[in-house]
Amino acid sequence: MLKNYKPLLSVKETEHAIVSIKDFFQLALSTELNLTRVTAPLFVPAGIGINDDLNGVEQPVSFPVHDMGGKKMEIVQSLAKWKRMKVSELKMNPGFGIYTDMNAIRPDETLDEIHSLYVDQWDWEMAIDEKDRTVFYLFDIVKKVYRCIKRTEFFLYDRYSMLEPVLPENIKLIYSDDLQRMYPNLTPKQREDKVAKEFGAVFIAGIGGKLPDGSIHDGRAPDYDDWISDAGDGHVGLNGDIIVWNSVLGRAFELSSMGIRVIPSSLRAQLKERGCEERAKLEFHSRLLNGEFVPTLGGGIGQSRLCMFLLRKAHIGETQVSAWPEEIRKDCAKKGIPLL
């Protein structure tokens, strides 16, 4: 973690700024992408495939419900699959969708300056036409999300002159397989650092699918993003991450993950590749394979992450309240990092 850090805003100013960011950004996002706000669940029934399995190994927080005969519920890890069901239930037309405040607990997270037990993000999902299942359409949506981030950056600068804008005018599209070819001796995170520093803001497409050397850029669950399909130009993957250069931390910084969602053929292929074909029998997966859900595109945008970046904070604990090991608390106190 960095040395000689001094927050640009006081704790009280930070709290006020967090409210301003959240209010401004969600309105910008909803109008840019034609999204209607909906209420989201904090927990979902266990064992039917609705909860996000993330990389497939993280265990959700669960609890039995006394008045439901001990039926087990799980705190959501994200709303990736629930959102698709909701868009289909609401019979949204292509080009229209929903967004919501998602609050999750991820107990298996490795805690550091950008990872917390508590996850808060704007989860969004929109219906699309079958013909728009291309990386080009995906990148058009990426550019709209990026415009919202840019507008929020100026909105803050107009109120806090010390928060000078740093984001470039445009975001760069880069494929994960091209990155691997360009820097075969670097790890995926080192590749992200390199391109984020060069361009300022990048969308790395194709997260989860196999790269030329057989590795993957990063893990993705097999049952929401479509990372195995041919995107139409020889690259694999219809998903990706918005990553910016964080000058405070001196590293690449992910703000958002999004993707075009699986269809029956890609779901079957991805379940097979990940060795979890038994999931096809779960309620969510069987309904998807039966064609009950409309084609969608969606993603999540970290609320505390976005606030951390825009307010030039050194630790995510400066923009949200969570629990931290004593060694992290002591390290932050030593370096002048005020955790909320």
Side-chain angles (χ1 to χ4, degrees):
M1 198 179 291
L2 74 175
K3 298 179 180 179
N4 302 318
Y5 170 70
K6 183 174 176 58
L8 297 179
L9 301 181
S10 68
V11 171
K12 185 175 181 180
E13 288 173 325
T14 297
E15 294 280 21
H16 290 164
I18 289 171
V19 174
S20 297
I21 290 170
K22 292 184 177 182
D23 288 345
F24 184 90
F25 182 82
Q26 67 183 359
L27 179 60
L29 184 72
S30 66
T31 52
E32 187 73 53
L33 297 185
N34 301 320
L35 305 177
T36 298
R37 191 188 186 284
V38 298
T39 303
L42 177 61
F43 46 84
V44 293
I48 63 174
I50 295 179
N51 204 357
D52 184 357
D53 295 303
L54 303 175
N55 294 314
V57 296
E58 295 87 349
Q59 294 297 312
V61 175
S62 63
F63 58 94
V65 180
H66 181 270
D67 274 4
M68 298 175 69
K71 183 176 181 179
K72 191 166 77 169
M73 296 289 170
E74 293 177 349
I75 302 294
V76 297
Q77 297 197 106
S78 91
L79 297 171
K81 290 177 274 189
W82 178 88
K83 293 178 299 178
R84 186 168 186 181
M85 295 173 61
K86 191 69 174 180
V87 167
S88 298
E89 289 170 5
L90 293 174
K91 296 179 169 56
M92 309 291 283
N93 291 325
F96 295 86
I98 60 173
Y99 82 95
T100 190
D101 281 318
M102 190 282 297
N103 296 284
I105 300 175
R106 297 181 182 174
D108 288 344
E109 195 71 84
T110 300
L111 306 182
D112 58 24
E113 63 268 24
I114 64 172
H115 295 98
S116 169
L117 295 173
Y118 170 61
V119 179
D120 55 341
Q121 65 184 31
W122 291 284
D123 253 327
W124 61 274
E125 196 86 7
M126 62 190 298
I128 62 173
D129 280 320
E130 185 67 31
K131 65 178 176 59
D132 290 326
R133 287 179 44 79
T134 70
V135 73
F136 310 110
Y137 184 81
L138 172 62
F139 191 51
D140 283 342
I141 300 300
V142 168
K143 288 185 284 188
K144 290 183 177 183
V145 174
Y146 183 69
R147 282 202 293 268
C148 294
I149 297 173
K150 281 276 294 177
R151 288 205 294 271
T152 309
E153 184 183 47
F154 171 74
F155 169 79
L156 274 180
Y157 175 57
D158 202 32
R159 286 150 182 77
Y160 303 97
S161 60
M162 70 288 288
L163 299 173
E164 294 188 18
V166 296
L167 291 172
E169 188 62 29
N170 299 304
I171 185 169
K172 174 77 172 178
L173 170 64
I174 299 176
Y175 296 95
S176 59
D177 53 349
D178 282 342
L179 269 183
Q180 195 275 326
R181 293 186 190 96
M182 291 163 60
Y183 308 111
N185 297 322
L186 299 183
T187 67
K189 294 304 179 187
Q190 289 171 336
R191 295 171 205 153
E192 289 182 3
D193 288 341
K194 197 165 187 67
V195 297
K197 187 172 184 179
E198 179 180 355
F199 296 104
V202 296
F203 181 71
I204 299 179
I207 307 291
K210 285 186 178 179
L211 301 176
D213 65 352
S215 66
I216 61 174
H217 185 82
D218 199 1
R220 283 294 186 277
D223 44 17
Y224 53 97
D225 281 352
D226 190 340
W227 42 256
I228 205 168
S229 293
D230 188 318
D233 58 356
H235 299 280
V236 173
L238 293 171
N239 69 345
D241 294 340
I242 292 178
I243 294 174
V244 297
W245 177 251
N246 188 317
S247 59
V248 176
L249 298 179
R251 56 177 288 187
F253 192 73
E254 180 190 328
L255 291 178
S256 176
S257 175
M258 68 182 72
I260 291 173
R261 307 312 195 185
V262 289
I263 55 176
S265 59
S266 56
L267 175 61
R268 289 191 184 94
Q270 292 181 181
L271 290 177
K272 183 176 182 179
E273 183 160 321
R274 287 290 188 265
C276 50
E277 294 171 273
E278 72 282 355
R279 288 194 199 178
K281 299 177 182 178
L282 297 173
E283 179 181 327
F284 172 84
H285 302 70
S286 60
R287 289 182 63 188
L288 193 154
L289 292 170
N290 287 333
E292 295 184 30
F293 303 142
V294 299
T296 62
L297 184 165
I301 302 161
Q303 295 184 12
S304 295
R305 283 273 187 101
L306 182 63
C307 292
M308 180 184 170
F309 174 75
L310 294 176
L311 299 177
R312 312 292 182 252
K313 299 297 187 180
H315 198 286
I316 198 166
E318 294 182 84
T319 56
Q320 63 160 238
V321 177
S322 187
W324 303 100
E326 190 59 30
E327 59 268 25
I328 288 182
R329 289 192 169 276
K330 287 180 179 178
D331 189 48
C332 287
K334 181 180 179 181
K335 292 173 179 173
I337 298 173
L339 300 178
L340 299 183

